[in-house]
Amino acid sequence: MNKKINVLYYWDLDGFNRWSNIFSKKAPDINLVHKDNTFSDEVDVALVWLPPKGLLASYKNLKGVINLGQGVDHLLKPGIVPKNLPIIRLVDPDMSKQMSAWVSLQVLRETCFMEEYLDQERNKNWQTVRFIPSNEWTIGVLGIGAIGEHVALSLSNFGYAVKGWSRSKKKFDGITCYHGENGLTEMLPKCNILICLLPLTNETRHIINKNTMSLLPKGASIINAGRGGHVNEDDLLEMISLGKIKNAYLDVFETEPLPKNHPFWDHKNIIIWPHVAAQTNTDTSIDQIINAARCLVNNDVAPNQIDREKGY
Ligand code: NAP
Ligand code: GLV
């Protein structure tokens, strides 16, 4: 009988039980193991979210690491994943759908003037706040990869004028695409709403800063579901206080959980979500995890291996 593949699981305990059940049903050749319950030299592959420094280096026979989510910035920090090991990330179509729903919710709050109508409701006031037709809202999406493309296309279906920005040149029906530094400078002045769905890398850290926000039209709003490190938080507070930025809808923060004394909590123009915009769905991601584990033990290149040079 072939030896089973031992996959180390590192994240929450509830998740361990849920994933164990699904592995035992779908992949009897895989054993999901917990770090407190296994010999380190028996581990073949690691399936992780936010592993601490040094943990993965202690598994000497590890052949690769599978990320339990789409963003890999946490795995590329020094001392987390030994340099010789491949890192595979999830690209889960359900994550794109969840993100499109979450982003649409924030966009609709803005474009349907939801806060203003809620205020009117409190005063039993029946009147039109303002009407801006869909096509007069220009929405820019920073990062039109697996998630950003889906989000951009969903927003375009509402009739908004959607623009997308990426590193390389792209083409999608109904979306005006920009790329590179010049593309960003060209796109920003047109965007009433700016959405960030970039990976966090050396190039994208603090991409939403005083300079880039200054290029947006006065009163633009920001939606960030990429990573907290994309937004310079002090610059955001300043730009809101100057009236340059109207509202910020944030799912991710420099420090998570957001510290209790953080000024964002009490700010009426900042809407806070606790990093929940799109979450890993066991049902829709299990097949790619099983495939990745099998590829890694057979020394095959698994789909969605990240490029450490690019950082995503
Ligand atoms: P992806 O498929 O790798 O797409 C990344 C996009 O960003 C690509 O279009 C890429 O351009 C662009 N990009 C990267 N670096 C750039 C740069 N320097 N300049 C311009 N464009 C750049 O990533 P994804 O799967 O869509 O995920 C994106 C991010 O979403 C993740 O990294 C994670 O941080 C975040 N996320 C958040 C949640 C949440 O719940 N808040 C959930 C899932 C993911 P190219 O196409 O030219 O390469
Ligand atoms: C969640 O933030 C992810 O990157 O999957």
Side-chain angles (χ1 to χ4, degrees):
M1 204 175 83
N2 283 341
K3 177 187 162 300
K4 282 200 172 195
I5 302 170
N6 285 321
V7 174
L8 172 86
Y9 176 90
Y10 184 84
W11 190 223
D12 61 312
L13 193 57
D14 283 355
F16 177 78
N17 297 330
R18 197 170 61 248
W19 285 102
S20 284
N21 281 337
I22 193 161
F23 272 111
S24 59
K25 283 190 198 119
K26 295 202 80 161
D29 57 323
I30 294 180
N31 249 343
L32 197 66
V33 296
H34 193 273
K35 75 174 178 37
D36 300 334
N37 214 0
T38 193
F39 294 112
S40 60
D41 59 354
E42 288 177 351
V43 169
D44 302 300
V45 172
L47 174 63
V48 299
W49 186 253
L50 295 176
K53 233 180 191 175
L55 175 81
L56 297 172
S58 64
Y59 297 96
K60 298 297 174 215
N61 294 322
L62 205 56
K63 296 200 127 182
V65 175
I66 306 172
N67 184 31
L68 262 171
Q70 294 212 186
V72 291
D73 47 294
H74 65 115
L75 296 179
L76 295 177
K77 289 182 181 161
I80 303 290
V81 179
K83 290 215 159 60
N84 59 318
L85 293 181
I87 299 174
I88 316 301
R89 75 179 188 113
L90 296 186
V91 178
D92 175 2
D94 191 58
M95 193 94 87
S96 300
K97 291 178 192 161
Q98 291 178 58
M99 187 63 86
S100 294
W102 183 86
V103 167
S104 300
L105 177 62
Q106 318 313 311
V107 166
L108 292 168
R109 280 172 81 140
E110 196 70 18
T111 60
C112 296
F113 304 106
M114 183 170 146
E115 303 314 316
E116 288 91 332
Y117 281 111
L118 286 175
D119 269 350
Q120 286 196 175
E121 182 188 337
R122 279 179 217 111
N123 297 314
K124 301 185 182 167
N125 181 3
W126 177 286
Q127 69 178 17
T128 304
V129 170
R130 226 171 343 144
F131 171 63
I132 301 180
S134 309
N135 59 305
E136 288 183 21
W137 288 96
T138 300
I139 304 184
V141 182
L142 301 178
I144 37 175
I147 295 177
E149 176 190 347
H150 196 280
V151 168
L153 294 170
S154 307
L155 293 172
S156 163
N157 281 335
F158 283 115
Y160 302 122
V162 181
K163 303 189 178 298
W165 183 67
S166 53
R167 206 157 96 126
S168 56
K169 199 169 173 182
K170 303 241 167 175
K171 196 169 181 302
F172 301 112
D173 280 350
I175 313 292
T176 314
C177 294
Y178 300 81
H179 67 282
E181 237 174 88
N182 291 342
L184 185 63
T185 315
E186 200 185 328
M187 182 180 91
L188 291 177
K190 307 182 200 314
C191 301
N192 315 109
I193 298 178
L194 184 68
I195 300 167
C196 178
L197 292 168
L198 288 162
L200 186 62
T201 66
N202 292 337
E203 283 81 49
T204 65
R205 174 169 295 282
H206 285 181
I207 193 154
I208 301 183
N209 57 43
K210 224 182 273 189
N211 294 335
T212 49
M213 284 186 274
S214 302
L215 292 176
L216 293 166
K218 190 172 166 59
S221 288
I222 305 268
I223 298 173
N224 185 22
R227 286 288 182 261
H230 287 128
V231 173
N232 181 317
E233 296 185 343
D234 291 336
D235 286 4
L236 176 63
L237 285 169
E238 187 181 334
M239 296 310 263
I240 294 177
S241 72
L242 294 173
K244 180 74 186 171
I245 298 298
K246 185 180 173 211
N247 293 315
Y249 301 85
L250 307 175
D251 183 54
V252 284
F253 301 86
E254 283 271 18
T255 306
E256 293 181 9
L258 188 64
K260 296 263 188 237
N261 62 354
H262 196 287
F264 282 0
W265 281 114
D266 295 319
H267 202 301
K268 74 176 176 43
N269 301 92
I270 297 181
I271 288 87
I272 293 168
W273 293 80
H275 199 148
V276 291
Q279 299 171 48
T280 301
N281 177 337
T282 38
D283 290 342
T284 51
S285 56
I286 185 68
D287 289 343
Q288 58 188 282
I289 294 174
I290 291 170
N291 182 49
R294 289 176 183 156
C295 286
L296 289 169
V297 293
N298 291 323
N299 298 317
D300 292 333
V301 178
N304 305 317
Q305 177 167 332
I306 67 119
D307 177 341
R308 284 181 186 250
E309 284 298 303
K310 281 196 337 197
Y312 65 102

